[in-house]
Amino acid sequence: MKQAIAYIRASTNEETQKNSMAVQSEIIQRFAQSNGYTITATFIEYKTGGDDERQEFNKALQSSISNDCTLICWKVDRLARTMSIFSRIEAHLPRLRFAELGDIEPNIMVLGVLLGVGPLMRIKKSIRVKATYTTLKAQDPNKSWGNPRMVETATPVGLKVRKSNAREFNTHVQGIVSDLKRAGYCTLADIAVRLNQLGVKTRRGCDFNIHSLHRVLNYGV
């Protein structure tokens, strides 16, 4: 068996991303087992991927170098979300493995594209928000920010918010299910059991079963 280090990261905190670490760990463990790796150490932290000075990340990288073993992450964006990190990992690409890409040395061009997605999306969002604010302000310098018809429009707005929340929740669960399928869980029954073991609940806080999971997976279809 080949030795490997696991690195797991989430951006915020355990309360708001309680499922993320468990899912990442599950995917990495399955990947390791399928490809002949033994995980000898796991480094976990809640830090933004835009910070190249993350303590646990640097410990994980240094540990893999010192012990001449592989460093496994779930996805590239779990390792980092900056192009600047490339200078730190360029010399060590042969020891990096990403479960989403398979048991191969990451292609330098693919890695560059994936590392650039995060910063690009943040920049585009910032530009869009600023441009919208500037345009609206230019059209009406006295524009009142907020909704003066709050009482009248509260019901339809509330319905829209609930639909948006439902869509976001279902999309989130669909993503977890997709990852579990890649990890080897094939049937709805097996996936429902694993979701419950990971602490992933329905929107009403109940355990998943085949029927509730089917509804989520077919939402919007």
Side-chain angles (χ1 to χ4, degrees):
M1 298 288 283
K2 299 169 287 187
Q3 292 190 340
I5 302 293
Y7 175 70
I8 300 172
R9 181 190 69 79
S11 298
T12 53
N13 55 61
E14 187 174 3
E15 182 178 351
T16 57
Q17 290 187 295
K18 60 182 179 181
N19 300 322
S20 179
M21 298 308 198
V23 171
Q24 289 185 59
S25 178
E26 178 72 22
I27 300 298
I28 290 175
Q29 288 293 339
R30 287 294 186 109
F31 173 84
Q33 292 171 9
S34 299
N35 294 284
Y37 292 98
T38 297
I39 303 295
T40 59
T42 299
F43 293 83
I44 300 173
E45 64 186 340
Y46 287 94
K47 288 285 186 179
T48 173
D51 179 7
D52 292 347
E53 301 304 324
R54 283 166 284 133
Q55 185 175 23
E56 296 304 305
F57 161 71
N58 284 290
K59 284 182 180 179
L61 180 60
Q62 188 54 54
S63 179
S64 69
I65 296 171
S66 300
N67 294 285
D68 191 24
C69 62
T70 303
L71 176 59
I72 302 176
C73 294
W74 172 29
K75 296 181 177 182
V76 173
D77 66 7
R78 295 304 87 198
L79 182 76
R81 283 182 173 272
T82 65
M83 292 295 292
S84 55
I85 200 68
F86 195 77
S87 62
R88 223 171 267 199
I89 64 175
E90 182 179 10
H92 310 293
L93 293 185
R95 72 175 69 256
L96 296 181
R97 292 294 183 272
F98 299 97
E100 68 169 342
L101 301 179
D103 189 22
I104 57 173
E105 178 181 335
N107 179 286
I108 191 169
M109 292 185 65
V110 172
L111 194 59
V113 170
L114 293 176
L115 285 172
V117 168
L120 179 60
M121 293 303 292
R122 287 196 296 272
I123 291 172
K124 289 177 66 175
K125 182 178 180 180
S126 175
I127 292 174
R128 185 170 64 250
V129 171
K130 290 179 180 178
T132 300
Y133 178 82
T134 300
T135 299
L136 292 176
K137 201 67 176 174
Q139 292 174 348
D140 183 3
N142 299 315
K143 179 177 176 60
S144 176
W145 300 98
N147 185 359
R149 301 169 60 203
M150 179 62 73
V151 175
E152 180 183 343
T153 60
T155 298
V157 169
L159 179 60
K160 183 178 180 180
V161 169
R162 288 196 296 274
K163 288 184 176 180
S164 176
N165 289 341
R167 182 167 55 252
E168 182 178 348
F169 172 82
N170 290 331
T171 299
H172 172 66
V173 174
Q174 288 168 1
I176 295 177
V177 170
S178 177
D179 292 326
L180 290 177
K181 286 181 177 179
R182 286 198 293 269
Y185 292 88
C186 300
T187 69
L188 287 183
D190 289 340
I191 293 172
V193 169
R194 191 55 186 150
L195 287 174
N196 296 331
Q197 291 173 340
L198 293 172
V200 182
K201 301 293 185 180
T202 67
R203 286 190 72 211
R204 296 186 177 183
C206 301
D207 284 346
F208 272 99
N209 55 44
I210 293 177
H211 303 295
S212 57
L213 181 57
H214 183 270
R215 285 196 297 271
V216 169
L217 296 180
N218 286 276
Y219 179 82
V221 176

